[in-house]
Amino acid sequence: MKMTTTERQGRRSSWVRRVLTFVAATAVAVAAVGVAQPATAASEWVVSQDDGYLRISVPNAAVEEAIGPVSQVVVEGNFGPSHNWAQIGLTRSGQNWTATYGPFDPGLYYYQITGDDSKVFKDPTNPTSVGSEPEWSTFFIPGESAALLEDAAEPAGTVETLTYESAVAGEERQALVWVPPTYKPTGKKFPVLYLQHGGGQSFGDWVEVGRAEQILDNLWLQGNLADMLVVMGNGNVPDFSTELLENLVPAVQDTYNVAPNRKNRALAGLSMGGGQAFEVFRDHPGQFASIATFGAGRFGDLSDIPVRQMNNRTDLFRVYVGNKTDIAYNDVYDSLRAFDAAGLEYQFDGVNPDAGHNWNAWQENLIDFAPRLFTHQASDPGMSDRHTALTERFEPPAPGTTPTPFIDDDGFVTFETTTEFADAEYVSVWANWSPGGSWLRVEMQKVGDRWRATVGPLDEKFYHYRLIVDRQSVKDSSNPTSVASEPAWSTFLIEGEGSRLLSDVPEGEGGDLEVMTYQSAVAGQERNAYVWTPPGYDAERPVPYPLFVLNHGGGQSWTDWVEVGRARQILDNLHRDGSLQDMVVVMPNGNVSNYPAELRENVVPAAEEQYNISRNPDKRALAGLSAGGARTVSVLKGYPGEFAWIGTFAAGFGGTNGVDPAAINEGTELYRIYTGDITDFTYGSVINSLPVLDELGIEYEFDGVTVGPHGWDVWQKNLIDFAPRLFQSLPADTTRPEVALVSPETAGPFRDVALRVDATDVGGLQRIVANVYQGGTLVQSTQVALDGAEAGTHEATLQLPSGDYTVKYNAQDLAGNISPTGSFDFSVDVTVPEATVKPESVATGDTYDTVSYKLYDAVGIDRVEINGVVKDLTNNTWSDVNGIAPGVFGAVQGENTMVVYDVLGNSTAYTFILN
């Protein structure tokens, strides 16, 4: 990006001075555009990864230095549904406040750091800034959906700062001007789009937050933008029309080679700026050929506007609005009805379903509007893709008239407190509506003696939430739902195809849910478990039903799989779809000191006594989430074969002492492992368990990464995947795959190790695994999934430090058979050669008449290059280069460069000066 500064004196000075100063994008010296401040910490606090995940770590010492001691820290920005403002709550971990969130959609994000609800400060490790919001920083997540917001792939336009005298403001003011690459100060005159910011903003916002420069650059490079200038002025004045028409427009015309006629001018603005654009449209029809309002609808009295002049003198008037969370939504609805009644011609881009009153919406508006300008063709009146008609106002129920949350047909949810928090200072809703299902807070607004918030559109799924009132968790007393293990939680469902498996089935088409009471000798008390039986369950059936024991996690209890996990609805719908075998599902209380004993001696015997279940281990399954997954693994290790079907949701394998891999493999039909993504704190444990299992030779299936955190969104998906796999017939495949190491063929040493392992299996390969060890310690694990191929190859290039290594490799087929584990030793050398000046060299100070070098490399010296001239050597450990003088071996008088290579390609460079 290039920035230029353009200054214009007032007209009374009768002269215009234009100074062009090109400045690198990383050192823009224009205060209004935002100067990058030096970081005050060693590492970034908010790290955005290319896959859309955020890793956040804020030092508590820095927080206390900035705002004093606090009990709560959040990172708040446009992270919420519809890209509205929301808070990522951080957890105190040692000396830092931390969180991992995502994956967020591609786009620009802006944020600030806040302690104890009101103490705001800027992230000093992020050099970005926003002039109108001093506490804000920004970061960009790249991706196809935000391609037009990325920095242009090649040079395009420049952004200049125009300084001019404002008679309205009584001061010198500035505007930013985007200038296309084709602009010249003489010749063809250019049309102009005047683009206005919103309330509380300024002229720099369209560049600093709106990504206007990137949008215009990319549209122009694509050929989708006419040659034009785009002027972003300061609209913070009491009389915008006068400021624009008598100050800014003349300044632009005096400074730039622009067309003076009205047909070559367009005007658009967001929010307040949209209202200002309409004011000019109404009071000065024809001054601008094209008009657009982004997220604006309060246009004053529309009963007496000059409709005929506005229609006849304007080529295009296009209206934009966000979804129901846009504060302009109802205003735009009312204005469109008034336009229709008055006969004012307009185009409506439709309701943006994905964004509210925020920059994400306005960026899309600019992307749609700018290409329509100055094309000498009629603008397509159609709506943008996926946008919808605005057919009615959004009117949640009147305060105090209905239980909350109130959910409309489009997935917008309105929360309302009772009057008990009328004196609270800060109230928010904290729910699992962040991407993947992480918790995210949305601020509520005071409405009378209640607090309200509308969020959406929410994905079709099951939600759990709590209110945060002055930093205290509180139950929404207006919502009758409850979660026994989390007294502050309430729940609700957004219905639709996406949540079909989580919804109630029609009455009479589901199974029965009962409470089983049993005596626990381990806990020393009577306990309960939920039991689901399939539709048509027959307690007298000759063939007993398979048993599936489903465990909750730590801090939970036997009710959670029903109250939050939606296990009943999942099992009912899977069975109704025909994808679930008849079975009895028991959800016990796992909060005991000895879970294997509780399960084997109390839970299972009670189920056998009360239900018609099989005693055959091949017809028994065991699964659990988090701590319940660890309990499941403890049974697998301690009593292999008692449950032939094993599932772990967010739980690693743990220690290996006393583990009998052969017994586990012999007695297990399926061991399937699940994990959330990097936002799941058990992710590392699960991933690190895989090479352990591979090394032990334990057969398993890894479901891959389920996008989401350590939470119910992920575990519901895990159950939906796992349950239909149970008690299905399997092919009798007991043949082990054949595996061979193709490369490396020798023990080395190598600089980069080309690893190749081939495998075959007529039943179909699941994966090939190759793990690298040094001194018995695993240093790198590699594998490839083959998805049933009969022959496959696993290739990887290993870049390792110098040393001796062992690669151990095997293959697993779809039936779980694992080949014998092969082993191969090799060495790596990445040490560069050494060169020392020999005593016989003739030196004068730091320069030489002649110079000789002694060369050493443990693997062998291959060659030297002096100023690009190659001298082959003998591949010995020691070698010499003697008598180097000007004209010898490519050496020259003055500075010379000698590069020494060993036989593996490792190299080092030396410089010397010859007289």
Side-chain angles (χ1 to χ4, degrees):
M1 177 185 79
K2 289 185 178 178
M3 298 292 300
T4 48
T5 298
T6 302
E7 297 184 0
R8 177 189 182 274
Q9 295 298 114
R11 285 179 142 185
R12 291 187 297 272
S13 301
S14 71
W15 61 274
V16 175
R17 179 165 55 93
R18 190 178 187 209
V19 182
L20 297 181
T21 306
F22 292 94
V23 186
T26 55
V28 178
V30 182
V33 178
V35 180
Q37 299 298 323
T40 61
S43 58
E44 297 177 66
W45 292 355
V46 179
V47 177
S48 167
Q49 301 180 174
D50 288 342
D51 52 8
Y53 289 92
L54 300 184
R55 290 195 182 273
I56 304 171
S57 182
V58 180
N60 184 63
V63 173
E64 293 189 354
E65 180 182 356
I67 58 176
V70 293
S71 61
Q72 169 190 286
V73 177
V74 301
V75 174
E76 53 184 335
N78 59 327
F79 306 121
S82 296
H83 302 284
N84 288 323
W85 197 259
Q87 300 173 342
I88 297 174
L90 307 186
T91 301
R92 181 68 182 270
S93 177
Q95 299 302 311
N96 298 317
W97 295 87
T98 65
T100 301
Y101 266 67
F104 287 100
D105 291 335
L108 185 80
Y109 290 83
Y110 38 95
Y111 69 94
Q112 64 190 28
I113 301 173
T114 304
D116 287 351
D117 296 337
S118 60
K119 301 174 182 178
V120 180
F121 67 105
K122 188 185 184 303
D123 177 356
T125 68
N126 187 328
T128 65
S129 62
V130 179
S132 65
E133 296 285 353
E135 294 85 11
W136 283 14
S137 303
T138 64
F139 62 86
F140 184 73
I141 296 177
E144 183 178 355
S145 62
L148 290 175
L149 306 183
E150 297 191 31
D151 290 335
E154 58 184 278
T158 58
V159 174
E160 303 180 359
T161 300
L162 169 68
T163 301
Y164 66 97
E165 194 69 31
S166 167
V168 175
E171 64 181 5
E172 190 177 72
R173 310 199 97 195
Q174 292 180 323
L176 296 183
V177 184
W178 180 85
V179 182
T182 51
Y183 174 80
K184 294 181 180 179
T186 59
K188 181 187 74 171
K189 295 186 178 297
F190 282 67
V192 184
L193 165 62
Y194 292 85
L195 184 62
Q196 290 303 124
H197 60 79
Q201 301 171 359
S202 192
F203 70 96
D205 284 66
W206 264 112
V207 169
E208 294 167 343
V209 196
R211 305 289 280 187
E213 180 183 15
Q214 289 82 0
I215 291 170
L216 298 169
D217 282 351
N218 285 301
L219 288 174
W220 191 89
L221 289 170
Q222 291 176 355
N224 292 326
L225 188 73
D227 284 338
M228 67 176 80
L229 273 66
V230 179
V231 178
M232 294 158 272
N234 188 337
N236 296 312
V237 287
D239 185 350
F240 176 73
S241 295
T242 301
E243 172 76 353
L244 176 65
L245 296 174
E246 297 185 12
N247 295 321
L248 183 56
V249 169
V252 172
Q253 291 178 342
D254 287 350
T255 309
Y256 292 95
N257 181 29
V258 298
N261 60 71
R262 301 167 181 178
K263 285 291 184 182
N264 287 291
R265 291 204 296 257
L267 175 62
L270 69 90
S271 193
M272 178 193 79
Q276 293 172 331
F278 187 85
E279 170 193 323
V280 174
F281 179 34
R282 178 196 64 209
D283 297 343
H284 305 276
Q287 286 292 331
F288 296 85
S290 299
I291 302 286
T293 60
F294 306 162
R298 295 185 181 181
F299 302 137
D301 183 5
L302 298 175
S303 62
D304 192 28
I305 58 176
V307 172
R308 185 175 61 81
Q309 294 94 324
M310 294 169 75
N311 287 342
N312 292 341
R313 300 175 186 177
T314 308
D315 295 333
L316 172 63
F317 171 38
R318 192 165 175 90
V319 179
Y320 299 81
V321 72
N323 59 32
K324 294 175 182 179
T325 65
D326 188 339
I327 59 174
Y329 186 87
N330 288 342
D331 293 331
V332 170
Y333 173 83
D334 294 339
S335 293
L336 295 184
R337 303 291 79 74
F339 294 164
D340 291 337
L344 181 65
E345 298 172 1
Y346 66 90
Q347 294 180 2
F348 179 49
D349 187 57
V351 174
N352 185 334
D354 302 319
H357 198 75
N358 52 49
W359 281 105
N360 296 74
W362 306 325
Q363 289 160 353
E364 292 186 29
N365 300 161
L366 178 60
I367 290 169
D368 176 85
F369 183 64
R372 298 174 182 272
L373 303 177
F374 315 124
T375 63
H376 307 295
Q377 297 178 358
S379 170
D380 181 357
M383 299 179 185
S384 291
D385 185 43
R386 297 178 55 249
H387 287 206
T388 59
L390 179 52
T391 58
E392 60 183 0
R393 291 171 60 88
F394 175 57
E395 301 285 3
T401 61
T402 183
T404 66
F406 170 74
I407 305 170
D408 80 355
D409 293 339
D410 296 322
F412 290 87
V413 182
T414 300
F415 299 86
E416 179 185 87
T417 70
T418 62
T419 59
E420 60 187 309
F421 309 125
D423 295 329
E425 295 183 359
Y426 188 92
V427 181
S428 61
V429 187
W430 198 10
N432 61 318
W433 45 43
S434 180
S438 294
W439 288 74
L440 199 64
R441 303 181 193 180
V442 173
E443 299 178 56
M444 304 183 79
Q445 302 299 319
K446 190 77 172 291
V447 181
D449 56 1
R450 300 170 185 270
W451 294 79
R452 271 200 168 196
T454 295
V455 183
L458 296 183
D459 292 338
E460 297 164 348
K461 69 173 191 176
F462 191 66
Y463 292 86
H464 40 280
Y465 72 97
R466 54 185 168 180
L467 303 179
I468 306 295
V469 180
D470 293 334
R471 301 192 294 282
Q472 299 298 316
S473 294
V474 178
K475 172 81 169 66
D476 181 358
S477 58
S478 295
N479 187 331
T481 65
S482 63
V483 178
S485 65
E486 295 285 354
W489 285 17
S490 303
T491 62
F492 64 93
L493 176 72
I494 300 294
E495 297 183 354
E497 182 58 31
S499 61
R500 182 183 66 83
L501 293 177
L502 307 179
S503 303
D504 292 335
V505 298
E507 187 175 354
E509 297 187 20
D512 290 330
L513 187 68
E514 303 171 345
V515 175
M516 179 181 79
T517 302
Y518 60 97
Q519 191 65 35
S520 168
V522 176
Q525 62 181 194
E526 188 176 77
R527 310 195 101 191
N528 295 326
Y530 268 128
V531 179
W532 180 87
T533 55
Y537 169 78
D538 182 2
E540 304 300 325
R541 192 176 84 167
V543 179
Y545 291 83
L547 169 67
F548 175 24
V549 179
L550 182 61
N551 293 291
H552 61 79
Q556 302 171 358
S557 192
W558 61 280
T559 59
D560 281 73
W561 264 113
V562 169
E563 293 173 340
V564 197
R566 304 293 279 185
R568 177 179 189 170
Q569 288 80 4
I570 291 170
L571 297 168
D572 281 349
N573 279 289
L574 290 174
H575 192 278
R576 187 167 178 257
D577 291 347
S579 56
L580 187 75
Q581 295 289 312
D582 283 345
M583 66 181 75
V584 173
V585 181
V586 176
M587 292 163 270
N589 187 338
N591 295 314
V592 287
S593 59
N594 187 338
Y595 178 75
E598 174 79 346
L599 175 68
R600 299 172 65 249
E601 299 170 15
N602 299 318
V603 175
V604 171
E608 290 174 341
E609 181 180 350
Q610 299 180 45
Y611 294 92
N612 181 16
I613 59 175
S614 174
R615 296 175 183 267
N616 183 349
D618 289 342
K619 293 187 177 181
R620 290 190 172 177
L622 182 64
L625 68 91
S626 192
R631 296 172 185 135
T632 297
V633 171
S634 71
V635 174
L636 174 66
K637 293 176 182 178
Y639 305 93
E642 291 197 7
F643 292 83
W645 308 79
I646 299 292
T648 58
F649 310 161
F653 188 73
T656 60
N657 288 339
V659 172
D660 187 342
I664 290 176
N665 290 341
E666 179 66 25
T668 306
E669 288 289 337
L670 172 67
Y671 175 20
R672 192 164 174 86
I673 300 171
Y674 299 82
T675 184
D677 58 27
I678 62 172
T679 65
D680 184 342
F681 66 83
T682 65
Y683 171 85
S685 174
V686 174
I687 297 301
N688 290 335
S689 292
L690 303 184
V692 173
L693 294 169
D694 294 333
E695 178 63 21
L696 290 171
I698 292 177
E699 302 164 9
Y700 67 92
E701 293 180 2
F702 177 46
D703 183 60
V705 173
T706 303
V707 175
H710 198 75
W712 284 105
D713 294 73
V714 170
W715 302 326
Q716 289 164 352
K717 294 173 184 175
N718 298 163
L719 178 60
I720 289 169
D721 177 85
F722 183 66
R725 299 174 182 274
L726 301 179
F727 316 123
Q728 307 284 353
S729 59
L730 296 174
D733 179 6
T734 59
T735 303
R736 303 169 76 181
E738 296 182 2
V739 64
L741 180 69
V742 178
S743 175
E745 297 181 80
T746 68
F750 305 98
R751 184 174 66 169
D752 296 327
V753 183
L755 178 66
R756 173 174 171 174
V757 181
D758 289 352
T760 58
D761 188 274
V762 294
L765 292 163
Q766 184 183 76
R767 65 180 180 272
I768 299 173
V769 177
N771 296 326
V772 180
Y773 297 81
Q774 186 176 42
T777 300
L778 177 67
V779 295
Q780 190 165 345
S781 176
T782 68
Q783 62 176 280
V784 63
L786 296 171
D787 301 324
E790 294 183 2
T793 295
H794 171 40
E795 293 181 304
T797 299
L798 308 178
Q799 294 179 326
L800 301 165
S802 298
D804 297 323
Y805 297 87
T806 299
V807 59
K808 297 184 179 182
Y809 52 94
N810 61 28
Q812 181 172 333
D813 65 16
L814 293 176
N817 302 305
I818 298 179
S819 70
T821 298
S823 178
F824 187 82
D825 297 330
F826 62 93
S827 63
V828 172
D829 174 33
V830 292
T831 304
V832 300
E834 299 176 3
T836 56
V837 177
K838 298 174 67 173
E840 59 262 41
S841 300
V842 180
T844 303
D846 293 332
T847 63
Y848 296 93
D849 295 334
T850 64
V851 63
S852 301
Y853 285 92
K854 173 68 71 175
L855 310 179
Y856 170 80
D857 186 272
V859 177
I861 298 294
D862 177 63
R863 68 187 188 281
V864 296
E865 291 181 9
I866 299 177
N867 300 329
V869 177
V870 178
K871 176 176 176 59
D872 288 324
L873 300 175
T874 57
N875 298 348
N876 291 328
T877 300
W878 292 93
S879 190
D880 300 273
V881 180
N882 296 319
I884 303 173
V888 178
F889 303 140
V892 298
Q893 183 178 352
E895 185 175 284
N896 294 263
T897 298
M898 179 178 71
V899 183
V900 186
Y901 294 87
D902 70 10
V903 295
L904 298 179
N906 300 307
S907 66
T908 185
Y910 296 85
T911 60
F912 57 89
I913 298 175
L914 293 176
N915 297 318

